[in-house]
Amino acid sequence: MNEQVEDPEKVRTLEGRSRIVAEPGLCRDCGAPVPPRRPRCRECGSRRVTRHAELNSLSIAHIDCDAFYASVEKRDNPALADLPVIVGGGQRGVVAACCYVARLYGVRSAMPMFKAMALCPHAVVLPPNMKKYQAVGRQVRATMLELTPLVQPLSIDEAFLDLTGTEDSLGLSPARSLILLVRRLETEIGITASIGLSYNKFLAKVASDLDKPRGFKAIGRAEALDFLGPRPVGLIWGVGAALQSKLEHDGITTIAELRDRDEIWLMKRYGVMGRRLYRFSWGEDLRTVEPDEETKSISAETTFSRDISDLGDLRNRLWPLCETVARRMKAAGLLGGSVVLKLKTGDFRLVTRSRRIGAPTQEPDAVFEAVMPLLEREASGIAYRLIGVGCADLTPLDRSDMPDLLAPELLLAPRADPPAEPAPDVPVPATAPDPRRSFVTSGNPSPMLPGFERLYRRKRRR
């Protein structure tokens, strides 16, 4: 029910129908209010005006930067402005991102590079520069946080924002604040973004994809059911190709058809996902914007220059990835409770296998030893083009039950201060050991490491 206005009397709804414009709007270029029935902004003359009956009552937003990697590259090299740009690997890699010019030729993210180059042979191909993209992503995040502390990142270039209550503190409606935020991203950082605004996270994310690039779409409560009904079930967040195929097998192709099924039936058939399918089909999403959402997994992967089937070669490629995952977990202060192996065949079939680790770890040896049995089972002569490894079931190091006693960096770490006074029923030794002295520096097991003394004695007997 919101649209760029071309006619002072009519506007097209989300469903494509025309109706009389009666509500005020906002200029998407400068954020100025636009009175009803006016096709242009009086402040800047722009015709990019958004109108919606619930514009001033919606406060959950999803902001998604437009073709982020490619936009950053075009910002840094203006000569690329009008050219098709693809960010990705060589002929064996995939498209990490592509600009909207390249998309006109059919290029899409995650497409194999050889297909992308066949569709757009004159495209400018650039290797990813993740350090640069991460730096720009931090700038974007900082700008969002100036608006509200309730920012939940989804990736380097997109996030949910909850602007409930910000109207009192900022003196602006959430919709207007978002327009001014995106304007700052354009003028100060040099990239564009699209806004989705609604009353929950599911619909906000759907809305942000409706009008890219430089889009602004709102989905309100009054129109949600009519809007969702004819849409394919694949629109629902979390419905991939496999689940969509299963739903189609059950005679469910549209979201409206989901509403015809009982919630209990959907849960019996699709498990926990059945509840999400049912509630989302009715425009319901009780998830809140969580600014401190925990990292669910840490991974690394590599694409080979040629397909590899030999176990020894795959093993050699796996070890550096385990080191990378371990380094990232240490930097984040996390321990992994399970490992995930990812393989992609020469015909792009994806294989994933997982297993629990005996004890949560952040050591590369332990990750490697846990994932190798998975690789040995899959290395049966099949040629793979990609291998990856990850750790899931992550636990913060400071919440773990027991540190890895063999990790040198933990052995050398200073110990915690002792209690101010010993318990009354514990005799005080004549010379109390200094708990700040580690095993390595003192030559004796630290009393702060339970069980380490037995390990030390066993090693001495050997």
Side-chain angles (χ1 to χ4, degrees):
M1 297 178 73
N2 63 320
E3 186 66 32
Q4 177 177 328
V5 174
E6 300 294 344
D7 187 291
E9 298 294 331
K10 293 183 179 181
V11 66
R12 289 196 176 275
T13 68
L14 287 170
E15 301 300 330
R17 296 187 292 268
S18 295
R19 64 169 176 77
I20 300 297
V21 178
E23 57 266 358
L26 290 172
C27 174
R28 285 161 51 176
D29 285 324
C30 71
V34 180
R37 302 182 184 278
R38 293 194 67 93
R40 293 179 179 271
C41 172
R42 289 186 295 188
E43 299 295 326
C44 68
S46 172
R47 297 184 67 93
R48 286 173 21 96
V49 177
T50 188
R51 300 180 189 273
H52 194 282
E54 300 177 46
L55 193 60
N56 292 323
S57 63
L58 303 173
S59 58
I60 306 298
H62 179 255
I63 295 183
D64 190 9
C65 297
D66 301 322
F68 182 61
Y69 296 175
S71 294
V72 173
E73 297 294 350
K74 289 194 173 193
R75 178 200 69 175
D76 295 344
N77 184 359
L80 301 174
D82 299 323
L83 300 177
V85 172
I86 298 174
V87 178
Q91 288 294 320
R92 299 280 300 174
V94 297
V95 176
C98 60
C99 70
Y100 287 90
V101 178
R103 295 185 190 191
L104 295 175
Y105 294 87
V107 181
R108 295 291 183 268
S109 296
M111 176 181 286
M113 283 298 299
F114 74 88
K115 287 187 178 180
M117 295 311 298
L119 292 169
C120 189
H122 58 291
V124 178
V125 179
L126 301 172
N129 186 337
M130 292 309 299
K131 287 187 177 180
K132 177 166 68 173
Y133 307 148
Q134 289 167 354
V136 178
R138 286 191 290 270
Q139 288 181 280
V140 173
R141 189 79 40 77
T143 307
M144 293 177 179
L145 288 169
E146 292 180 24
L147 196 60
T148 172
L150 297 179
V151 176
Q152 179 182 337
L154 294 181
S155 66
I156 189 175
D157 65 330
E158 62 175 323
F160 287 115
L161 291 82
D162 186 347
L163 290 91
T164 305
T166 59
E167 189 165 5
D168 293 336
S169 58
L170 299 176
L172 301 171
S173 68
R176 191 175 183 189
S177 296
L178 291 166
I179 289 172
L180 296 178
L181 168 65
V182 169
R183 185 184 181 190
R184 285 187 60 191
L185 298 183
E186 292 191 26
T187 58
E188 298 177 13
I189 301 179
I191 61 171
T192 64
S194 295
I195 301 167
L197 183 63
S198 192
Y199 59 94
N200 63 39
K201 291 167 69 173
F202 165 53
L203 291 172
K205 192 171 193 312
V206 169
S208 68
D209 285 330
L210 295 177
D211 190 29
K212 280 181 159 292
R214 300 185 72 217
F216 186 121
K217 285 290 186 181
I219 300 177
R221 296 179 185 275
E223 73 197 294
L225 295 184
D226 289 340
F227 168 75
L228 289 172
R231 259 59 181 190
V233 289
L235 183 74
I236 293 179
W237 201 3
V239 177
L243 180 54
Q244 188 168 356
S245 176
K246 188 175 181 180
L247 287 163
E248 289 176 356
H249 182 268
D250 290 338
I252 302 171
T253 59
T254 67
I255 294 178
E257 290 169 340
L258 276 173
R259 297 181 203 147
D260 295 335
R261 304 298 178 113
D262 182 78
E263 182 178 8
I264 302 299
W265 183 89
L266 287 170
M267 290 183 65
K268 287 180 179 179
R269 178 68 173 154
Y270 304 105
V272 177
M273 187 63 186
R275 173 170 289 177
R276 173 182 286 192
L277 292 171
Y278 182 80
R279 295 188 175 179
F280 280 17
S281 72
W282 288 96
E284 299 174 2
D285 182 3
L286 301 180
R287 297 172 303 159
T288 59
V289 176
E290 301 289 345
D292 296 321
E293 188 176 59
E294 294 180 355
T295 302
K296 291 182 173 59
S297 65
I298 292 177
S299 61
E301 63 183 47
T302 184
T303 300
F304 311 138
S305 58
R306 58 176 179 80
D307 291 352
I308 297 177
S309 59
D310 180 69
L311 175 60
D313 287 346
L314 292 169
R315 174 192 172 99
N316 292 338
R317 301 301 185 98
L318 184 64
W319 168 249
L321 299 178
C322 294
E323 289 185 306
T324 299
V325 169
R327 184 171 63 250
R328 291 173 179 173
M329 285 197 294
K330 290 176 182 179
L334 297 170
L335 300 172
S338 63
V339 293
V340 180
L341 173 69
K342 176 181 177 181
L343 295 164
K344 187 177 289 186
T345 63
D347 57 357
F348 293 90
R349 181 173 61 87
L350 186 63
V351 177
T352 57
R353 299 289 183 265
S354 64
R355 63 175 294 199
R356 297 285 302 180
I357 301 175
T361 185
Q362 57 178 202
E363 293 304 308
D365 289 351
V367 175
F368 184 73
E369 290 175 6
V371 77
M372 267 306 297
L374 301 176
L375 178 61
E376 289 168 353
R377 285 199 291 270
E378 299 304 323
S380 57
I382 299 174
Y384 295 106
R385 60 178 284 111
L386 175 148
I387 189 170
V389 64
C391 280
D393 298 316
L394 302 177
T395 306
L397 185 61
D398 57 4
R399 293 186 212 163
S400 60
D401 294 333
M402 186 75 172
D404 185 347
L405 301 182
L406 300 181
E409 66 273 24
L410 295 182
L411 294 177
L412 293 170
R415 310 299 174 202
D417 289 333
E421 295 182 4
D425 58 343
V426 177
V428 180
T431 305
D434 182 0
R436 294 181 182 277
R437 299 177 65 196
S438 71
F439 166 74
V440 174
T441 56
S442 67
N444 295 294
S446 167
M448 302 300 287
L449 296 176
F452 200 97
E453 186 173 358
R454 291 193 298 274
L455 175 63
Y456 174 74
R457 287 174 178 169
R458 285 199 298 271
K459 289 188 176 182
R460 286 290 297 270
R461 283 199 296 271
R462 292 173 188 165

